[in-house]
Amino acid sequence: MARWEPDAQGRMIRAALELFDERGFDQTTAGDIAEKAGVTERTFFRHFADKREVLFDGAHTMEHTVHDVTVAAPAELSPLDAALAGITAAGELLADRHEFSMRRSRIVAANPSLQERELLKLAAMTESTTKALHERGVTEPVASLAAHSAVTVFHVAFARWVAEEEPPAFADCVAEAAAALRALQ
Amino acid sequence: MARWEPDAQGRMIRAALELFDERGFDQTTAGDIAEKAGVTERTFFRHFADKREVLFDGAHTMEHTVHDVTVAAPAELSPLDAALAGITAAGELLADRHEFSMRRSRIVAANPSLQERELLKLAAMTESTTKALHERGVTEPVASLAAHSAVTVFHVAFARWVAEEEPPAFADCVAEAAAALRALQ
DNA sequence: GCTAGTGATGACAGTGACTGACATCGACAC
DNA sequence: GTGTCGATGTCAGTCACTGTCATCACTAGC
């Protein structure tokens, strides 16, 4: 699979994280990352569609998880509860990467173009949640609204989870945000 | 104010819309737009921070409107209702530009990087709504959740409004989406 | 052990988005 | 008329990203 050294992709991700942390995203070129990872710039762009994407490696897995867990949630759950089950499961994929998530969040928070990409990933989660709800037989506009609401809860819960030095259980952050959402009138 | 021909910015916006419509966003260079508008590429980038921004000219005004109307909403309104008043007012800024909004939406829908930018503008609306709710004395996490929910309603309502050849009243689209949101359990 | 096939990588040239620096123009104040 | 100022033009440069083709390491089949 790999050519000389194994795990080129992992090396590039780690190199990028360090460089972005040190100098910032804009002050780091794709060539810098590649060099630090021991590959060429061209190889970097074979692994990542663009420079930002190197920070969003797990997004695809999370989308799948959200979808599958939402579809498989107990039939008696409301659309919103099914979707919340999905986003909770997705969040727990990060459980053992709290340190990494904090660093990553700090980098993203410092750069608008990275925030943009993060929003796109959240939108993709919304999409896949909506699709899952459709598969549960939920119709529009309830499916979209429940999906948006669940991802909103994810967004708020994640921000809380990542802000604490000692990570609380992700599910607790979700429960808290979800309760506040339901209390809205 | 303007140099030779007046309204350089307006000319660039119109030129961009036409070119994006004809050939697509990726097949149009900043130089193409500038040339069609009778200016240089450098001037284009003095007016717009990047190529995408030419499609998001009114966003700043909408942010301000959301904020101001939310702050000024009757004190007895719930956080969510105050926020909904804000996003309704923002949506009505588009009332007389339905044709333009439809074209623009079609262009955005065809290009992921434009969708990304649109999400950033929606996030900015969420921010300014949250800020407005804070000024109303609403605390976290209710402020964020109400703001997110209101912008979700905006998102869904706008999609509906822009999809119809004969534009319904924007406020009606909002009311419909808001009712569905509240019905969620 | 040799060889052909395959997938990842390197090398290199090219396009286009964006930026900085400086010259220039046009309107307006005086 | 002259000076000031903001908007524009000009030009060179960096960097993100892409297409193309050669090359390398590993594997399967012999």
Side-chain angles (χ1 to χ4, degrees):
Chain A
M1 189 87 47
R3 192 171 175 179
W4 287 302
E5 299 299 316
D7 193 25
Q9 185 150 331
R11 264 155 42 223
M12 288 189 273
I13 292 175
R14 286 186 293 276
L17 203 73
E18 283 191 34
L19 291 172
F20 293 165
D21 222 348
E22 283 171 23
R23 337 178 177 162
F25 180 80
D26 285 335
Q27 283 64 51
T28 306
T29 71
D32 294 337
I33 301 169
E35 189 182 5
K36 180 156 183 155
V39 295
T40 61
E41 187 186 341
R42 191 65 186 86
T43 292
F44 178 88
F45 285 111
R46 284 205 183 89
H47 283 266
F48 305 104
D50 60 53
K51 190 179 141 192
R52 291 175 281 169
E53 206 61 21
V54 70
L55 284 176
F56 296 88
D57 186 48
H60 207 243
T61 310
M62 290 181 70
E63 271 175 56
H64 275 287
T65 302
V66 171
H67 176 269
D68 295 349
V69 174
T70 301
V71 168
E76 66 269 23
L77 291 191
S78 70
L80 181 56
D81 281 322
L84 287 172
I87 64 105
T88 305
E92 273 159 2
L93 291 176
L94 302 170
D96 55 346
R97 302 171 68 192
H98 187 257
E99 163 78 23
F100 170 87
S101 297
M102 284 185 74
R103 279 177 82 188
R104 191 187 150 287
S105 283
R106 227 180 312 125
I107 295 168
V108 171
N111 191 290
S113 82
L114 291 172
Q115 293 162 40
E116 236 178 320
R117 179 55 50 85
E118 183 136 282
L119 291 167
L120 193 67
K121 299 300 181 186
L122 287 170
M125 276 182 63
T126 304
E127 280 281 315
S128 84
T129 307
T130 304
K131 185 156 165 280
L133 290 175
H134 287 161
E135 288 172 35
R136 285 175 69 89
V138 182
T139 55
E140 286 303 324
V142 174
S144 284
L145 287 163
H148 267 110
S149 297
V151 172
T152 293
V153 167
F154 178 87
H155 198 165
V156 171
F158 182 76
R160 162 98 198 286
W161 182 72
V162 116
E164 311 260 355
E165 203 61 57
E166 270 313 300
F170 190 80
D172 291 345
C173 298
V174 168
E176 187 182 80
L181 179 80
R182 284 192 230 264
L184 247 43
Q185 285 308 325
Chain B
M1 189 81 53
R3 192 172 177 179
W4 287 301
E5 299 300 316
D7 192 25
Q9 186 151 330
R11 264 156 40 224
M12 288 188 272
I13 292 174
R14 287 186 292 277
L17 203 72
E18 283 191 34
L19 290 173
F20 293 164
D21 221 348
E22 282 171 24
R23 337 177 177 164
F25 181 80
D26 286 334
Q27 283 64 52
T28 306
T29 72
D32 293 338
I33 301 169
E35 189 183 6
K36 180 156 184 155
V39 295
T40 61
E41 187 186 340
R42 192 67 186 85
T43 293
F44 177 88
F45 285 111
R46 283 204 184 88
H47 283 265
F48 305 104
D50 59 52
K51 188 180 142 192
R52 290 175 282 169
E53 207 60 21
V54 70
L55 283 176
F56 295 89
D57 186 48
H60 207 245
T61 311
M62 291 182 70
E63 272 175 56
H64 276 287
T65 302
V66 171
H67 175 270
D68 295 349
V69 173
T70 301
V71 168
E76 67 269 23
L77 290 190
S78 71
L80 181 57
D81 281 321
L84 287 173
I87 64 106
T88 304
E92 272 159 2
L93 292 176
L94 302 170
D96 54 347
R97 301 170 68 192
H98 187 257
E99 162 78 25
F100 170 86
S101 298
M102 284 185 74
R103 278 178 82 188
R104 191 187 150 287
S105 282
R106 225 178 315 125
I107 294 169
V108 171
N111 192 290
S113 82
L114 291 173
Q115 292 162 40
E116 233 178 323
R117 180 55 50 86
E118 183 137 280
L119 291 167
L120 192 67
K121 299 300 183 188
L122 288 170
M125 277 182 64
T126 304
E127 281 282 315
S128 85
T129 307
T130 304
K131 185 156 164 281
L133 290 174
H134 288 160
E135 288 171 36
R136 285 175 70 88
V138 182
T139 56
E140 287 303 325
V142 174
S144 285
L145 288 163
H148 267 110
S149 297
V151 173
T152 293
V153 168
F154 178 86
H155 197 166
V156 171
F158 182 75
R160 163 97 198 287
W161 182 72
V162 116
E164 311 260 353
E165 202 63 57
E166 269 314 299
F170 190 78
D172 291 344
C173 297
V174 168
E176 186 181 80
L181 180 79
R182 284 192 230 263
L184 246 43
Q185 284 310 324

